[in-house]
Amino acid sequence: MCGIVGIVGTEPVAPQIVEALKRLEYRGYDSAGVATLQDGKLDRRRAEGKLRNLEAKLESAPLPGLIGIGHTRWATHGKPNETNAHPHATDKLAVVHNGIIENFRELKTGLESKGVRFQTETDTEVVAQLVTWEMHQGRGPIEAVAITLPRLRGAFALGFIFTGEDDLMIGARHGAPLAIGYGHGENYLGSDALALAPFTDEVAYLDDGDWAILTRRGVDIRDEDGQMVQRTRHKIATGSFLADKGNHRHFMAKEIHEQPEVVGRTLAHYVNFTAGRVEIPFDLPFDFKNLKRVSISACGTAYLAGLVSKYWFERLARIPVEIDVASEFRYREAPLEPGSLALFVSQSGETADTLASLRYASAEKQHILSVVNVATSTMARESDVVAATLAGVEIGVASTKAFTCQLTVLLCLAIAAGRARGTLSAADEKELVDALIGVPGLMSEAIKREHQVEMLARELSKAKDVLYLGRGTSYPLALEGALKLKEISYIHAEGYAAGELKHGPIALIDETMPVIVIAPHDALFEKTVSNMQEVAARGGRIILITDEKGALETDLDTMATIVMPSAHPIVAPIVHAVPVQLLAYHTAVFMGKDVDQPRNLAKSVTVE
Ligand code: F6R
């Protein structure tokens, strides 16, 4: 996850920027850089590797400017070398960027056809060149940025400074976080409040779509329609920084909102964006081609991520998958053919049942592959190979961002397996990778439905029982929705495969029962619509979570329809997880429950 810092200051800012970047080191990075303006002239220093390499460069060739931007880069497009390190610069500006510009290829082709030459392999340079192009057409920096921002798709944050403009910095937020810091005669930009703590205790968090114009005198914030807006300024307590909730009431909310960023970061670890291919960043001690089956075990939400991946592995790679909750797997003495793959999914990497299953599989001579979030965990240590989810620390007890990052990694593994087994062509892979690259942007769109979800949550909070239905990969998501709702709101909820409804649960349906149906417009959509008819005919109140096409093609009288942006059916569960999480969150908040620490639950379950 890249880190951004910017200072419009009153003394040379490069040392302060490096200090702030150090506070963003926890996000992970592989190169870093700083650019400043001195008498209107841009200069920059960049270095591969750790910040000390950048510091060494700055020591031998200091940057004296009083305004500057800095960046720690986690490589996505292009190698982690100095050329690709940020800030990127043209004759007109320097820019730092966190996140993914999804449509960079088409924008780049457009600029190249106008004769623009690119120096790097990064998606960031497209932003630099687009704004520069507008400035060459005679526009001022603010107007050039205003014209460029709506052309960028994806989840990202940006910071700009401009040649000849010693008192102007622009920051923009679209799906990746960005905070403004307010000082005395100085103002700041940062990926989070932690970075700005040495300079100020007063910050405002930009809303999605906001962009900000910073000078020494003040900060103007505009929303995505260009209207001036005010964002609440918060006093931040320096001591509690690492567990900062940003401008969210709960860690769970913060973690839901972080998903476009952390899913993007996880994706960048497994996908070569430029080549449009999955590239697993470690050697596998087995060949997917030779596997006869995969056994997956996990608990709770991690199990449900595994269940989604069963559909992916079977469909994309044609590998039979068996999946168990780990508390059953560990005791059922499953016969496992030596040399097969046992896959474990866990946020904490410490869950007792999953760990015991891992040890059982290890004793049965399986290859052990774990998808874990805590890299130093016991599971990570005891596995043959670890596929890291880069969700960052998850504090809310109810898992959210770890889930969508697990899905991201599992889908990359399924695609790699499909390629190795010859069940996916290069064109199929490219289509899936393009769909994956779009996911952070779509998640950020999905988050924009929050207000509608919040209103609905008030209705849901009156229910005693709630049913969730879905088919295909939406079925595990229905189970996840029910799990999330019950664990934080304590409302009884069950998830069912939509086709199972008539085999029992339909007896429960009456006008008091909300039925939440997750149905993106995929190959199973019509089947799910038939199941919704069955619910409607019995007076059940339907909340439909679908996409634009799905909403157009249903004329059922629903209690509400939450319309998600359209996504490729394979990646839809990652996007549709967002409203499912938000619905549980807002219901619990409305009911006054302790969402971050629900009763009876622990974050890491180290007992069986
Ligand atoms: C639900 C939740 C739990 C965990 C489960 C496994 O929101 O968080 O169901 O998913 O306890 O935990 P890990 O992933 O740490 O193995």
Side-chain angles (χ1 to χ4, degrees):
M1 211 173 356
C2 308
I4 289 179
V5 176
I7 305 179
V8 197
T10 48
E11 53 188 89
V13 289
Q16 289 174 295
I17 289 177
V18 172
E19 188 185 345
L21 290 176
K22 283 184 182 161
R23 300 173 74 92
L24 293 173
E25 277 190 302
Y26 76 95
R27 299 160 75 91
Y29 68 104
D30 36 41
S31 61
V34 177
T36 71
L37 277 172
Q38 166 79 351
D39 299 328
K41 224 172 131 273
L42 264 175
D43 203 358
R44 57 182 172 155
R45 305 281 177 269
R46 297 174 300 160
E48 194 175 326
K50 292 292 161 200
L51 278 169
R52 59 176 173 275
N53 302 344
L54 177 64
E55 281 181 297
K57 288 200 169 181
L58 283 165
E59 239 162 69
S60 52
L63 288 175
L66 309 188
I67 171 171
I69 48 180
H71 190 260
T72 45
R73 172 172 188 252
W74 178 284
T76 58
H77 299 57
K79 293 189 178 58
N81 55 24
E82 189 176 328
T83 313
N84 289 332
H86 301 212
H88 287 282
T90 64
D91 58 326
K92 294 282 185 197
L93 57 84
V95 61
V96 285
H97 159 221
N98 170 20
I100 296 167
I101 309 294
E102 223 176 84
N103 54 338
F104 86 102
R105 281 199 221 111
E106 99 199 29
L107 295 171
K108 188 171 177 173
T109 314
L111 284 168
E112 280 172 338
S113 70
K114 293 179 187 164
V116 176
R117 291 249 173 89
F118 281 77
Q119 315 292 325
T120 73
E121 305 156 38
T122 65
D123 53 342
T124 312
E125 197 186 345
V126 169
V127 182
Q129 298 291 6
L130 275 174
V131 178
T132 302
W133 172 266
E134 294 300 338
M135 291 178 74
H136 281 152
Q137 308 313 303
R139 299 187 206 286
I142 298 177
E143 201 192 345
V145 171
I147 287 182
T148 302
L149 289 176
R151 301 182 61 192
L152 308 176
R153 277 208 320 268
F156 54 82
L158 297 162
F160 299 88
I161 51 175
F162 305 89
T163 308
E165 300 280 352
D166 275 309
D167 193 21
L168 175 67
M169 177 176 294
I170 299 182
R173 177 195 166 150
H174 190 107
L178 200 60
I180 303 290
Y182 296 88
H184 300 289
E186 300 200 335
N187 288 304
Y188 317 92
L189 268 184
S191 287
D192 60 28
L194 179 63
L196 305 180
F199 319 124
T200 179
D201 63 352
E202 194 176 10
V203 302
Y205 300 93
L206 293 185
D207 275 4
D208 228 24
D210 284 355
W211 53 293
I213 299 161
L214 293 86
T215 62
R216 290 185 180 83
R217 285 181 318 283
V219 182
D220 285 343
I221 304 179
R222 302 185 183 188
D223 64 14
E224 61 191 333
D225 300 323
Q227 300 301 318
M228 294 276 248
V229 284
Q230 299 294 328
R231 299 293 175 219
T232 318
R233 293 190 192 192
H234 301 262
K235 279 275 175 211
I236 44 176
T238 42
S240 59
F241 266 124
L242 272 174
D244 179 30
K245 291 184 195 141
N247 56 350
H248 299 283
R249 278 174 71 187
H250 302 98
F251 285 109
M252 184 177 174
K254 178 177 178 239
E255 287 158 4
I256 291 173
H257 282 250
E258 268 171 13
Q259 292 179 111
E261 190 188 17
V262 295
V263 165
R265 175 188 176 184
T266 301
L267 211 51
H269 204 53
Y270 292 91
V271 166
N272 178 331
F273 288 60
T274 319
R277 272 170 64 92
V278 167
E279 278 174 12
I280 303 296
F282 43 79
D283 289 333
L284 292 170
F286 57 85
D287 192 335
F288 275 118
K289 199 167 61 198
N290 305 326
L291 289 182
K292 294 218 173 58
R293 76 177 38 245
V294 178
S295 319
I296 304 180
S297 329
C299 298
T301 290
Y303 163 78
L304 297 172
L307 193 53
V308 174
S309 80
K310 174 182 164 75
Y311 290 80
W312 288 333
F313 278 110
E314 296 193 337
R315 189 171 306 158
L316 304 177
R318 311 300 299 154
I319 308 183
V321 172
E322 59 175 21
I323 172 156
D324 293 79
V325 285
S327 54
E328 288 302 313
F329 180 80
R330 65 182 293 189
Y331 293 118
R332 83 172 162 86
E333 296 175 25
L336 301 170
E337 199 178 315
S340 296
L341 175 64
L343 200 159
F344 301 89
V345 188
S346 175
Q347 187 285 127
S348 62
E350 302 295 347
T351 303
D353 285 319
T354 312
L355 186 57
S357 301
L358 184 155
R359 288 175 177 157
Y360 173 81
S362 189
E364 296 292 306
K365 307 257 176 308
Q366 303 298 291
H367 295 296
I368 307 294
L369 167 57
S370 294
V371 176
V372 293
N373 197 39
V374 179
T376 49
S377 60
T378 314
M379 271 181 231
R381 291 197 307 275
E382 294 192 16
S383 299
D384 298 330
V385 58
V386 179
T389 48
L390 305 175
V393 181
E394 191 178 63
I395 293 175
V397 162
S399 190
T400 52
K401 62 175 182 169
F403 176 66
T404 46
C405 286
Q406 285 159 355
L407 292 177
T408 304
V409 172
L410 289 163
L411 179 50
C412 289
L413 289 170
I415 294 172
R419 184 176 65 220
R421 295 168 71 85
T423 50
L424 285 181
S425 66
D428 296 335
E429 178 171 2
K430 169 105 183 11
E431 179 187 322
L432 292 170
V433 167
D434 281 348
L436 264 170
I437 292 173
V439 165
L442 293 173
M443 292 180 100
S444 140
E445 281 300 307
I447 289 173
K448 292 192 182 142
R449 280 47 169 184
E450 181 156 20
H451 186 62
Q452 184 196 4
V453 174
E454 194 178 343
M455 293 298 127
L456 260 178
R458 290 165 191 237
E459 279 304 305
L460 207 60
S461 67
K462 297 178 196 148
K464 278 184 64 194
D465 307 279
V466 176
L467 214 53
Y468 283 76
L469 301 177
R471 278 178 185 261
T473 49
S474 298
Y475 161 50
L477 211 51
L479 297 175
E480 170 63 3
L483 174 60
K484 277 297 83 99
L485 188 70
K486 63 188 149 197
E487 73 175 319
I488 59 172
S489 74
Y490 319 143
I491 294 175
H492 172 238
E494 297 297 336
Y496 276 96
E500 268 293 289
L501 188 70
K502 56 179 97 47
H503 301 288
I506 200 163
L508 293 170
I509 288 171
D510 62 18
E511 55 292 340
T512 66
M513 169 82 94
V515 180
I516 299 172
V517 184
I518 306 162
H521 195 279
D522 57 16
L524 302 173
F525 180 71
E526 277 176 20
K527 309 269 172 216
T528 313
V529 171
S530 307
N531 302 128
M532 284 198 292
Q533 308 271 16
E534 293 155 11
V535 173
R538 284 153 187 88
R541 294 185 305 150
I542 297 169
I543 296 175
L544 172 61
I545 302 177
T546 184
D547 49 26
E548 287 138 9
K549 207 156 172 215
L552 273 177
E553 286 188 19
T554 34
D555 49 9
L556 270 179
D557 199 10
T558 60
M559 177 174 149
T561 300
I562 305 173
V563 185
M564 291 289 103
S566 297
H568 188 293
I570 291 286
V571 303
I574 315 181
V575 180
H576 284 238
V578 172
V580 164
Q581 296 164 344
L582 285 172
L583 200 51
Y585 170 75
H586 283 292
T587 305
V589 170
F590 189 70
M591 294 170 79
K593 306 296 184 211
D594 184 353
V595 279
D596 280 338
Q597 308 221 309
R599 70 185 181 204
N600 308 337
L601 292 175
K603 186 69 186 157
S604 182
V605 185
T606 50
V607 291
E608 66 172 294

